[in-house]
Amino acid sequence: MSSRLNPYISFDGKAREAMEFYRAVFGGTLALHTFGELGMKEPGQADKIMHGMLETTSGFTLMGADTPPGMEHNPGNNIAVSVSGEDPDELRGYWTKLSGDGTVSVPLEKQMWGDVFGMCVDRFGIAWMVNIAQPEG
């Protein structure tokens, strides 16, 4: 397996719901492992997600988990997930689903550099950037 770079998102008890939502957006195979499956039997924690991984046919990988007990959940505004490519139908489909119940900060439209680009925050508070590259020539 070659090296890969992908986002890993921590959630405050909503990892299962969020990862299932992202599977509905991008398709693919979702593997979810709970704290209980991996040995933690604390009441209220066993059903939470210790590790989740979504792998899509487009080659995207997204990982996420619930914040473990004893650690503080600190959502930040310094990270975003970028989805980019050249297939406008595919990328607009992702945009529609991600921004649907979220907040759009930059509408998905042609930008000064020539690409179609938009930014939104989804219903889970995760920032997304979608860039549709324009064919060169």
Coordinates of all heavy atoms in Angstrom, one line a residue, residues 17-119:
E17 N -23.1 8.7 13.2 CA -24.0 9.5 12.3 C -23.3 10.2 11.2 O -23.7 10.3 10.1 CB -24.8 10.4 13.2 CG -25.8 11.3 12.4 CD -26.5 12.3 13.3 OE1 -26.4 12.3 14.6 OE2 -27.3 13.1 12.8
A18 N -22.2 10.9 11.6 CA -21.4 11.7 10.7 C -20.8 10.8 9.6 O -20.9 11.1 8.4 CB -20.3 12.4 11.4
M19 N -20.2 9.7 10.0 CA -19.5 8.8 9.0 C -20.5 8.2 8.0 O -20.3 8.0 6.8 CB -18.7 7.7 9.7 CG -17.5 8.3 10.4 SD -16.3 9.3 9.5 CE -15.5 7.9 8.5
E20 N -21.7 7.8 8.6 CA -22.8 7.3 7.7 C -23.3 8.4 6.7 O -23.6 8.1 5.6 CB -23.9 6.7 8.5 CG -23.5 5.4 9.2 CD -24.5 4.9 10.2 OE1 -25.5 5.5 10.5 OE2 -24.3 3.7 10.6
F21 N -23.3 9.6 7.2 CA -23.7 10.7 6.3 C -22.7 10.9 5.2 O -23.1 11.0 4.0 CB -23.8 12.0 7.2 CG -23.9 13.3 6.3 CD1 -25.1 13.6 5.7 CD2 -22.9 14.2 6.3 CE1 -25.2 14.7 4.9 CE2 -23.0 15.3 5.5 CZ -24.2 15.6 4.8
Y22 N -21.4 10.8 5.5 CA -20.4 11.0 4.5 C -20.4 9.8 3.5 O -20.2 10.0 2.3 CB -19.0 11.1 5.1 CG -18.9 12.4 6.0 CD1 -18.3 12.3 7.2 CD2 -19.5 13.6 5.6 CE1 -18.2 13.5 8.0 CE2 -19.4 14.7 6.4 CZ -18.8 14.7 7.6 OH -18.7 15.8 8.4
R23 N -20.8 8.6 4.0 CA -20.9 7.5 3.1 C -22.1 7.8 2.1 O -22.0 7.5 0.9 CB -21.1 6.2 3.8 CG -21.4 5.0 2.8 CD -21.6 3.7 3.4 NE -22.7 3.8 4.4 CZ -23.0 2.9 5.3 NH1 -22.3 1.8 5.4 NH2 -24.0 3.1 6.1
A24 N -23.2 8.4 2.6 CA -24.3 8.7 1.8 C -23.9 9.8 0.7 O -24.4 9.8 -0.4 CB -25.5 9.2 2.6
V25 N -23.0 10.7 1.1 CA -22.5 11.7 0.2 C -21.6 11.1 -0.9 O -21.8 11.3 -2.1 CB -21.8 12.8 0.9 CG1 -21.1 13.8 0.0 CG2 -22.7 13.6 1.9
F26 N -20.6 10.4 -0.5 CA -19.5 9.9 -1.4 C -19.6 8.5 -1.8 O -18.9 8.1 -2.7 CB -18.1 10.1 -0.7 CG -17.8 11.6 -0.4 CD1 -17.8 12.0 0.9 CD2 -17.6 12.5 -1.4 CE1 -17.5 13.3 1.2 CE2 -17.3 13.8 -1.1 CZ -17.3 14.2 0.2
G27 N -20.5 7.7 -1.2 CA -20.5 6.3 -1.5 C -19.3 5.6 -0.9 O -18.6 6.1 -0.1
G28 N -19.1 4.3 -1.3 CA -17.9 3.6 -0.8 C -18.2 2.6 0.3 O -19.4 2.3 0.6
T29 N -17.2 2.2 0.9 CA -17.2 1.2 2.0 C -16.9 1.8 3.3 O -15.8 2.5 3.4 CB -16.2 0.0 1.7 OG1 -16.5 -0.5 0.4 CG2 -16.3 -1.1 2.7
L30 N -17.7 1.6 4.3 CA -17.5 2.2 5.6 C -17.3 1.1 6.6 O -18.1 0.2 6.7 CB -18.7 3.0 6.0 CG -18.7 3.7 7.4 CD1 -17.6 4.6 7.6 CD2 -20.1 4.3 7.7
A31 N -16.2 1.2 7.3 CA -15.8 0.3 8.4 C -15.9 1.1 9.7 O -15.2 2.1 9.9 CB -14.5 -0.3 8.2
L32 N -16.7 0.6 10.7 CA -16.8 1.3 12.0 C -16.5 0.3 13.1 O -17.0 -0.8 13.1 CB -18.2 1.8 12.2 CG -18.7 2.9 11.2 CD1 -20.2 3.2 11.5 CD2 -17.9 4.2 11.4
H33 N -15.6 0.7 14.0 CA -15.3 -0.2 15.1 C -15.5 0.6 16.4 O -15.1 1.7 16.6 CB -13.8 -0.5 15.1 CG -13.4 -1.2 13.8 ND1 -13.7 -2.5 13.5 CD2 -12.8 -0.7 12.6 CE1 -13.3 -2.8 12.3 NE2 -12.8 -1.8 11.8
T34 N -16.3 0.0 17.3 CA -16.7 0.7 18.5 C -15.6 0.4 19.6 O -14.8 -0.5 19.5 CB -18.0 0.1 19.1 OG1 -17.8 -1.3 19.4 CG2 -19.1 0.3 18.0
F35 N -15.7 1.3 20.6 CA -14.8 1.1 21.8 C -15.0 -0.3 22.4 O -14.1 -1.0 22.8 CB -15.0 2.2 22.8 CG -14.4 3.5 22.5 CD1 -15.2 4.5 21.9 CD2 -13.1 3.8 22.6 CE1 -14.7 5.8 21.5 CE2 -12.5 5.0 22.3 CZ -13.3 6.0 21.7
G36 N -16.3 -0.7 22.5 CA -16.6 -2.0 23.1 C -16.0 -3.1 22.3 O -15.5 -4.1 22.9
E37 N -16.1 -3.1 21.0 CA -15.4 -4.1 20.2 C -14.0 -4.2 20.4 O -13.4 -5.3 20.2 CB -15.7 -3.9 18.7 CG -17.1 -4.0 18.2 CD -17.3 -3.5 16.8 OE1 -16.6 -2.6 16.3 OE2 -18.2 -4.1 16.1
L38 N -13.4 -3.1 20.7 CA -11.9 -3.1 20.9 C -11.5 -3.1 22.3 O -10.4 -2.8 22.7 CB -11.3 -1.8 20.2 CG -11.6 -1.9 18.6 CD1 -11.3 -0.6 18.0 CD2 -10.9 -3.0 18.0
G39 N -12.4 -3.5 23.2 CA -12.1 -3.8 24.6 C -12.5 -2.9 25.7 O -12.5 -3.2 26.9
M40 N -13.0 -1.7 25.3 CA -13.5 -0.7 26.4 C -14.9 -1.0 26.7 O -15.8 -0.9 25.8 CB -13.3 0.7 25.9 CG -13.7 1.7 27.0 SD -13.5 3.4 26.4 CE -11.7 3.6 26.3
K41 N -15.2 -1.3 28.0 CA -16.5 -1.7 28.4 C -17.2 -0.7 29.3 O -18.2 -0.9 29.9 CB -16.5 -3.1 29.1 CG -15.9 -4.2 28.3 CD -16.7 -4.5 27.0 CE -16.1 -5.7 26.3 NZ -16.6 -5.9 25.0
E42 N -16.6 0.6 29.4 CA -17.2 1.6 30.2 C -18.6 1.9 29.8 O -18.9 2.0 28.6 CB -16.4 2.9 30.1 CG -15.1 2.9 30.9 CD -14.5 4.3 30.8 OE1 -15.2 5.3 30.7 OE2 -13.2 4.4 30.8
P43 N -19.5 2.0 30.8 CA -20.9 2.3 30.4 C -21.0 3.7 29.6 O -20.3 4.6 29.9 CB -21.6 2.5 31.8 CG -20.7 1.8 32.7 CD -19.3 1.9 32.2
G44 N -21.8 3.7 28.6 CA -22.0 4.8 27.8 C -20.9 5.0 26.7 O -21.0 5.9 25.9
Q45 N -19.9 4.2 26.7 CA -18.8 4.4 25.8 C -18.7 3.2 24.8 O -18.2 3.4 23.7 CB -17.4 4.5 26.5 CG -17.3 5.7 27.3 CD -17.4 7.0 26.5 OE1 -16.8 7.1 25.4 NE2 -18.1 7.9 27.0
A46 N -19.2 2.0 25.2 CA -19.0 0.8 24.4 C -19.5 1.0 23.0 O -18.9 0.4 22.0 CB -19.6 -0.4 25.1
D47 N -20.6 1.7 22.7 CA -21.2 1.8 21.4 C -20.6 3.0 20.6 O -21.0 3.2 19.4 CB -22.7 2.0 21.5 CG -23.3 0.7 22.0 OD1 -22.8 -0.4 21.7 OD2 -24.4 0.8 22.6
K48 N -19.8 3.8 21.2 CA -19.2 4.9 20.5 C -18.1 4.4 19.6 O -17.5 3.4 19.8 CB -18.6 6.0 21.5 CG -19.7 6.5 22.4 CD -19.6 7.9 22.6 CE -20.8 8.3 23.5 NZ -21.2 9.6 23.5
I49 N -17.8 5.2 18.6 CA -16.8 4.8 17.5 C -15.4 5.1 17.9 O -15.1 6.3 18.2 CB -17.2 5.5 16.2 CG1 -18.6 5.2 15.8 CG2 -16.2 5.1 15.1 CD1 -18.9 3.7 15.6
M50 N -14.6 4.1 18.0 CA -13.2 4.3 18.3 C -12.4 4.6 17.0 O -11.4 5.3 17.0 CB -12.6 3.0 19.0 CG -11.2 3.2 19.4 SD -10.6 1.7 20.3 CE -9.4 2.4 21.3
H51 N -12.8 3.9 15.9 CA -12.2 4.2 14.6 C -13.2 3.9 13.5 O -13.8 2.9 13.5 CB -10.9 3.3 14.5 CG -10.3 3.5 13.1 ND1 -9.6 4.6 12.8 CD2 -10.2 2.7 12.1 CE1 -9.1 4.5 11.6 NE2 -9.4 3.3 11.1
G52 N -13.3 4.8 12.6 CA -14.1 4.7 11.4 C -13.3 5.0 10.2 O -12.5 6.0 10.2
M53 N -13.5 4.3 9.1 CA -12.8 4.6 7.9 C -13.7 4.4 6.7 O -14.3 3.3 6.5 CB -11.5 3.8 7.7 CG -10.7 4.2 6.4 SD -9.1 3.5 6.4 CE -9.4 1.9 5.8
L54 N -13.8 5.4 5.9 CA -14.6 5.4 4.6 C -13.6 5.4 3.5 O -12.8 6.3 3.4 CB -15.5 6.6 4.6 CG -16.3 6.8 3.3 CD1 -17.3 5.6 3.1 CD2 -17.1 8.1 3.3
E55 N -13.8 4.4 2.6 CA -13.0 4.3 1.4 C -13.9 4.3 0.2 O -14.8 3.5 0.2 CB -12.1 3.1 1.4 CG -11.0 3.2 2.5 CD -10.1 1.9 2.4 OE1 -10.6 0.9 2.8 OE2 -8.9 2.1 2.1
T56 N -13.7 5.2 -0.8 CA -14.6 5.3 -1.9 C -14.0 4.8 -3.2 O -12.8 4.7 -3.3 CB -15.1 6.8 -2.1 OG1 -14.0 7.5 -2.7 CG2 -15.5 7.5 -0.8
T57 N -14.8 4.6 -4.2 CA -14.4 4.1 -5.5 C -13.6 5.3 -6.2 O -12.9 5.0 -7.1 CB -15.5 3.6 -6.3 OG1 -16.5 4.7 -6.5 CG2 -16.2 2.4 -5.7
S58 N -13.8 6.5 -5.8 CA -13.1 7.6 -6.4 C -11.7 7.8 -5.8 O -10.9 8.7 -6.1 CB -13.8 8.9 -6.2 OG -15.0 8.9 -6.9
G59 N -11.3 6.9 -4.8 CA -10.0 7.0 -4.2 C -9.9 7.9 -2.9 O -8.9 8.1 -2.4
F60 N -11.1 8.4 -2.4 CA -11.1 9.2 -1.2 C -11.0 8.3 0.0 O -11.6 7.2 0.0 CB -12.4 10.0 -1.1 CG -12.7 10.9 -2.2 CD1 -13.9 11.3 -2.5 CD2 -11.6 11.4 -3.0 CE1 -14.2 12.2 -3.6 CE2 -11.9 12.3 -4.1 CZ -13.2 12.6 -4.4
T61 N -10.3 8.8 1.0 CA -10.3 8.1 2.3 C -10.6 9.1 3.4 O -9.9 10.2 3.4 CB -9.0 7.4 2.6 OG1 -8.7 6.4 1.6 CG2 -9.0 6.7 4.0
L62 N -11.6 8.8 4.2 CA -11.9 9.7 5.3 C -12.0 8.9 6.6 O -12.7 7.9 6.6 CB -13.3 10.4 5.1 CG -13.8 11.4 6.1 CD1 -12.9 12.6 6.2 CD2 -15.2 11.8 5.7
M63 N -11.3 9.3 7.6 CA -11.3 8.6 8.9 C -11.9 9.5 10.0 O -11.9 10.7 9.9 CB -9.9 8.2 9.3 CG -9.3 7.2 8.4 SD -7.6 6.8 9.0 CE -7.1 5.8 7.6
G64 N -12.6 8.9 11.0 CA -13.2 9.6 12.1 C -13.4 8.8 13.3 O -13.5 7.5 13.1
A65 N -13.6 9.4 14.4 CA -13.9 8.7 15.7 C -14.5 9.6 16.7 O -14.4 10.9 16.5 CB -12.6 8.1 16.2
D66 N -15.1 9.0 17.7 CA -15.6 9.8 18.8 C -14.4 10.1 19.7 O -13.5 9.3 19.8 CB -16.7 9.1 19.6 CG -18.0 9.0 18.8 OD1 -18.4 10.1 18.4 OD2 -18.6 7.9 18.7
T67 N -14.4 11.3 20.3 CA -13.3 11.6 21.2 C -13.3 10.6 22.4 O -14.3 10.4 23.0 CB -13.5 13.1 21.7 OG1 -13.5 13.9 20.6 CG2 -12.3 13.5 22.6
P68 N -12.1 10.0 22.7 CA -12.1 9.0 23.7 C -12.3 9.6 25.1 O -12.1 10.8 25.3 CB -10.6 8.5 23.7 CG -10.1 8.9 22.4 CD -10.9 10.2 22.0
P69 N -12.8 8.8 26.0 CA -13.0 9.3 27.4 C -11.7 9.8 28.0 O -10.7 9.3 27.7 CB -13.5 8.0 28.1 CG -13.8 7.0 27.1 CD -13.1 7.4 25.9
G70 N -11.8 10.9 28.7 CA -10.7 11.5 29.3 C -10.0 12.5 28.5 O -9.1 13.2 28.9
M71 N -10.4 12.6 27.2 CA -9.8 13.6 26.3 C -10.9 14.7 26.0 O -12.0 14.4 26.0 CB -9.3 13.0 25.0 CG -8.2 12.1 25.2 SD -7.6 11.4 23.6 CE -6.9 12.9 22.8
E72 N -10.4 15.9 25.9 CA -11.4 17.0 25.6 C -11.6 17.1 24.1 O -10.7 17.0 23.3 CB -10.8 18.3 26.2 CG -11.7 19.5 26.1 CD -11.2 20.7 26.7 OE1 -10.2 20.6 27.6 OE2 -11.6 21.8 26.4
H73 N -12.9 17.3 23.7 CA -13.2 17.5 22.3 C -13.1 19.0 22.0 O -13.8 19.8 22.6 CB -14.6 17.0 22.0 CG -15.0 17.2 20.6 ND1 -15.9 18.2 20.2 CD2 -14.7 16.5 19.5 CE1 -16.1 18.1 18.9 NE2 -15.4 17.1 18.5
N74 N -12.2 19.4 21.1 CA -12.0 20.8 20.8 C -12.1 21.0 19.3 O -11.2 20.9 18.5 CB -10.5 21.2 21.2 CG -10.3 21.3 22.7 OD1 -11.2 21.8 23.3 ND2 -9.3 20.7 23.1
P75 N -13.4 21.2 18.8 CA -13.5 21.5 17.4 C -12.8 22.8 17.1 O -12.8 23.7 17.8 CB -15.0 21.6 17.2 CG -15.6 21.7 18.6 CD -14.6 21.3 19.6
G76 N -12.1 22.8 15.9 CA -11.4 23.9 15.5 C -11.9 24.5 14.2 O -12.6 23.8 13.5
N77 N -11.4 25.7 13.9 CA -11.8 26.2 12.6 C -10.5 26.3 11.7 O -10.5 27.1 10.8 CB -12.4 27.6 12.8 CG -11.5 28.6 13.5 OD1 -10.4 28.3 13.8 ND2 -12.0 29.8 13.8
N78 N -9.5 25.6 12.0 CA -8.3 25.7 11.3 C -8.0 24.5 10.4 O -6.9 24.3 9.9 CB -7.1 25.8 12.2 CG -6.9 24.7 13.2 OD1 -7.9 24.0 13.4 ND2 -5.7 24.5 13.7
I79 N -9.1 23.7 10.2 CA -8.9 22.5 9.3 C -10.2 22.4 8.4 O -11.3 22.7 8.8 CB -8.7 21.2 10.1 CG1 -8.3 20.1 9.2 CG2 -9.9 20.9 10.9 CD1 -7.7 18.9 9.9
A80 N -9.9 22.0 7.2 CA -11.0 21.8 6.3 C -10.7 20.6 5.4 O -9.5 20.2 5.3 CB -11.2 23.0 5.3
V81 N -11.7 20.0 4.9 CA -11.5 18.9 4.0 C -11.7 19.4 2.6 O -12.7 20.0 2.3 CB -12.5 17.7 4.3 CG1 -12.3 16.5 3.4 CG2 -12.4 17.3 5.8
S82 N -10.8 19.1 1.7 CA -10.8 19.6 0.3 C -11.2 18.4 -0.6 O -10.6 17.3 -0.5 CB -9.4 20.1 -0.1 OG -9.4 20.5 -1.4
V83 N -12.1 18.6 -1.5 CA -12.5 17.7 -2.5 C -12.3 18.4 -3.8 O -13.0 19.5 -4.0 CB -14.0 17.2 -2.3 CG1 -14.3 16.2 -3.4 CG2 -14.2 16.6 -0.9
S84 N -11.5 17.9 -4.7 CA -11.2 18.5 -5.9 C -11.1 17.5 -7.1 O -10.8 16.4 -6.9 CB -10.0 19.4 -5.8 OG -8.9 18.6 -5.5
G85 N -11.3 18.0 -8.3 CA -11.2 17.2 -9.5 C -11.7 17.9 -10.7 O -11.9 19.1 -10.6
E86 N -12.0 17.1 -11.7 CA -12.5 17.7 -13.0 C -13.9 17.3 -13.4 O -14.4 17.8 -14.4 CB -11.5 17.4 -14.1 CG -10.1 17.9 -13.8 CD -9.1 17.5 -14.9 OE1 -9.4 16.7 -15.8 OE2 -8.0 18.1 -14.9
D87 N -14.5 16.4 -12.6 CA -15.9 16.0 -13.0 C -16.9 16.9 -12.3 O -17.2 16.7 -11.1 CB -16.0 14.5 -12.5 CG -17.3 13.9 -13.0 OD1 -18.4 14.6 -13.1 OD2 -17.4 12.7 -13.2
P88 N -17.5 17.8 -13.1 CA -18.4 18.7 -12.5 C -19.7 18.1 -11.9 O -20.1 18.5 -10.8 CB -18.8 19.7 -13.6 CG -18.1 19.3 -14.8 CD -17.3 18.0 -14.5
D89 N -20.2 17.1 -12.5 CA -21.4 16.4 -12.0 C -21.2 15.8 -10.7 O -21.9 15.9 -9.7 CB -22.0 15.4 -13.0 CG -22.5 16.1 -14.3 OD1 -22.9 17.3 -14.2 OD2 -22.6 15.4 -15.3
E90 N -20.1 15.0 -10.6 CA -19.7 14.3 -9.4 C -19.5 15.4 -8.2 O -20.0 15.2 -7.2 CB -18.4 13.5 -9.6 CG -17.9 12.8 -8.3 CD -16.6 12.1 -8.5 OE1 -15.8 12.5 -9.5 OE2 -16.3 11.2 -7.8
L91 N -18.7 16.4 -8.5 CA -18.3 17.3 -7.5 C -19.5 18.2 -7.1 O -19.7 18.5 -5.9 CB -17.1 18.2 -7.9 CG -15.8 17.4 -8.1 CD1 -14.8 18.1 -8.9 CD2 -15.3 17.1 -6.7
R92 N -20.4 18.6 -8.0 CA -21.6 19.3 -7.7 C -22.5 18.5 -6.8 O -23.2 19.0 -5.9 CB -22.3 19.8 -8.9 CG -21.6 21.0 -9.5 CD -22.4 21.5 -10.8 NE -21.6 22.5 -11.5 CZ -21.5 23.8 -11.1 NH1 -22.1 24.2 -10.0 NH2 -20.8 24.7 -11.8
G93 N -22.5 17.2 -7.1 CA -23.3 16.3 -6.2 C -22.9 16.3 -4.8 O -23.7 16.3 -3.9
Y94 N -21.5 16.2 -4.6 CA -21.0 16.2 -3.3 C -21.3 17.6 -2.6 O -21.8 17.6 -1.4 CB -19.5 16.1 -3.3 CG -19.0 14.8 -3.8 CD1 -17.7 14.7 -4.5 CD2 -19.7 13.6 -3.8 CE1 -17.2 13.5 -5.0 CE2 -19.2 12.4 -4.3 CZ -18.0 12.4 -4.9 OH -17.5 11.2 -5.4
W95 N -21.2 18.7 -3.3 CA -21.4 20.0 -2.8 C -22.9 20.1 -2.3 O -23.1 20.6 -1.2 CB -21.1 21.1 -3.9 CG -21.6 22.4 -3.5 CD1 -22.8 23.0 -3.8 CD2 -20.9 23.3 -2.6 NE1 -22.8 24.3 -3.2 CE2 -21.7 24.5 -2.5 CE3 -19.7 23.3 -1.9 CZ2 -21.3 25.6 -1.7 CZ3 -19.3 24.3 -1.1 CH2 -20.1 25.5 -1.0
T96 N -23.8 19.7 -3.2 CA -25.2 19.8 -2.8 C -25.5 19.0 -1.5 O -26.2 19.6 -0.6 CB -26.1 19.2 -4.0 OG1 -25.8 19.9 -5.1 CG2 -27.5 19.2 -3.6
K97 N -25.0 17.9 -1.3 CA -25.2 17.1 -0.1 C -24.5 17.7 1.1 O -25.1 17.7 2.2 CB -24.8 15.6 -0.3 CG -25.7 14.9 -1.3 CD -25.2 13.5 -1.6 CE -25.9 12.8 -2.7 NZ -25.4 11.5 -3.1
L98 N -23.3 18.1 0.9 CA -22.5 18.6 2.1 C -23.1 20.0 2.5 O -23.2 20.2 3.7 CB -21.1 18.8 1.7 CG -20.3 17.5 1.5 CD1 -18.9 17.8 0.8 CD2 -20.0 16.9 2.8
S99 N -23.5 20.8 1.6 CA -24.0 22.1 2.0 C -25.5 22.2 2.3 O -25.9 23.1 2.9 CB -23.7 23.1 0.9 OG -24.4 22.8 -0.3
G100 N -26.2 21.1 2.0 CA -27.6 21.1 2.1 C -28.2 21.5 3.5 O -29.0 22.4 3.6
D101 N -27.7 20.9 4.5 CA -28.1 21.3 5.9 C -27.1 22.1 6.6 O -27.1 22.2 7.8 CB -28.4 20.0 6.7 CG -29.7 19.3 6.2 OD1 -30.6 20.0 5.7 OD2 -29.8 18.1 6.4
G102 N -26.1 22.6 5.9 CA -25.0 23.3 6.5 C -25.1 24.8 6.2 O -26.1 25.4 5.9
T103 N -23.9 25.4 6.2 CA -23.8 26.9 6.0 C -22.8 27.1 4.9 O -21.6 26.7 5.0 CB -23.3 27.6 7.3 OG1 -24.2 27.3 8.3 CG2 -23.2 29.1 7.1
V104 N -23.2 27.8 3.9 CA -22.3 28.2 2.8 C -21.6 29.5 3.1 O -22.2 30.5 3.4 CB -23.1 28.3 1.4 CG1 -22.2 28.8 0.3 CG2 -23.7 27.0 1.1
S105 N -20.2 29.4 3.0 CA -19.5 30.7 3.3 C -19.0 31.3 1.9 O -18.8 32.5 1.8 CB -18.3 30.4 4.2 OG -17.5 29.4 3.7
V106 N -18.7 30.4 0.9 CA -18.4 30.8 -0.4 C -19.2 30.0 -1.4 O -19.1 28.8 -1.4 CB -16.9 30.6 -0.7 CG1 -16.5 31.0 -2.2 CG2 -16.0 31.4 0.3
P107 N -20.1 30.6 -2.1 CA -21.0 29.9 -3.0 C -20.1 29.2 -4.1 O -19.1 29.7 -4.5 CB -21.8 31.0 -3.7 CG -21.8 32.1 -2.8 CD -20.4 32.1 -2.1
L108 N -20.6 28.0 -4.5 CA -19.9 27.2 -5.5 C -20.1 28.0 -6.9 O -21.2 27.9 -7.5 CB -20.5 25.8 -5.6 CG -19.8 24.8 -6.5 CD1 -18.4 24.6 -6.1 CD2 -20.6 23.5 -6.6
E109 N -19.1 28.7 -7.3 CA -19.2 29.5 -8.5 C -17.8 29.7 -9.1 O -16.8 29.5 -8.4 CB -19.9 30.8 -8.4 CG -19.4 31.7 -7.3 CD -20.3 32.8 -6.9 OE1 -21.5 32.7 -7.1 OE2 -19.8 33.9 -6.5
K110 N -17.7 30.2 -10.3 CA -16.4 30.4 -10.9 C -15.6 31.5 -10.2 O -16.2 32.5 -9.8 CB -16.6 30.9 -12.4 CG -15.3 30.9 -13.1 CD -15.5 31.0 -14.6 CE -14.1 30.9 -15.3 NZ -14.3 30.6 -16.7
Q111 N -14.4 31.2 -9.9 CA -13.5 32.1 -9.1 C -12.5 32.8 -10.0 O -12.3 32.4 -11.2 CB -12.8 31.4 -8.0 CG -13.8 30.7 -7.1 CD -14.6 31.6 -6.3 OE1 -14.2 32.7 -5.9 NE2 -15.9 31.3 -6.1
M112 N -11.8 33.8 -9.5 CA -10.8 34.5 -10.3 C -9.7 33.7 -10.9 O -9.1 34.1 -11.9 CB -10.2 35.7 -9.4 CG -9.3 35.2 -8.3 SD -8.5 36.5 -7.4 CE -9.8 37.2 -6.5
W113 N -9.4 32.5 -10.3 CA -8.4 31.7 -10.9 C -8.9 30.7 -12.0 O -8.2 30.0 -12.6 CB -7.6 30.9 -9.8 CG -8.5 30.0 -9.0 CD1 -8.8 28.7 -9.3 CD2 -9.2 30.3 -7.8 NE1 -9.6 28.1 -8.3 CE2 -9.9 29.1 -7.4 CE3 -9.3 31.4 -7.0 CZ2 -10.6 29.1 -6.2 CZ3 -10.0 31.3 -5.8 CH2 -10.7 30.2 -5.5
G114 N -10.2 30.8 -12.2 CA -10.8 30.1 -13.4 C -11.6 28.8 -13.0 O -12.3 28.4 -13.8
D115 N -11.3 28.3 -11.8 CA -12.0 27.1 -11.4 C -13.4 27.5 -10.7 O -13.5 28.6 -10.3 CB -11.2 26.3 -10.4 CG -10.0 25.7 -11.0 OD1 -9.8 25.7 -12.2 OD2 -9.1 25.1 -10.2
V116 N -14.2 26.5 -10.6 CA -15.5 26.7 -9.8 C -15.1 26.2 -8.4 O -14.6 25.1 -8.3 CB -16.6 25.8 -10.5 CG1 -17.8 25.9 -9.6 CG2 -17.0 26.4 -11.8
F117 N -15.4 27.0 -7.4 CA -15.0 26.7 -6.1 C -16.0 27.2 -5.1 O -16.7 28.2 -5.3 CB -13.6 27.5 -5.8 CG -13.2 27.4 -4.4 CD1 -12.4 26.3 -3.9 CD2 -13.5 28.4 -3.5 CE1 -12.0 26.2 -2.6 CE2 -13.0 28.3 -2.1 CZ -12.3 27.2 -1.7
G118 N -16.2 26.4 -4.0 CA -17.1 26.8 -2.9 C -16.6 26.3 -1.6 O -15.8 25.4 -1.5
M119 N -17.0 27.0 -0.5 CA -16.7 26.6 0.8 C -18.0 26.5 1.6 O -18.9 27.4 1.5 CB -15.7 27.5 1.5 CG -14.4 27.5 0.9 SD -13.2 28.7 1.6 CE -13.2 28.2 3.3

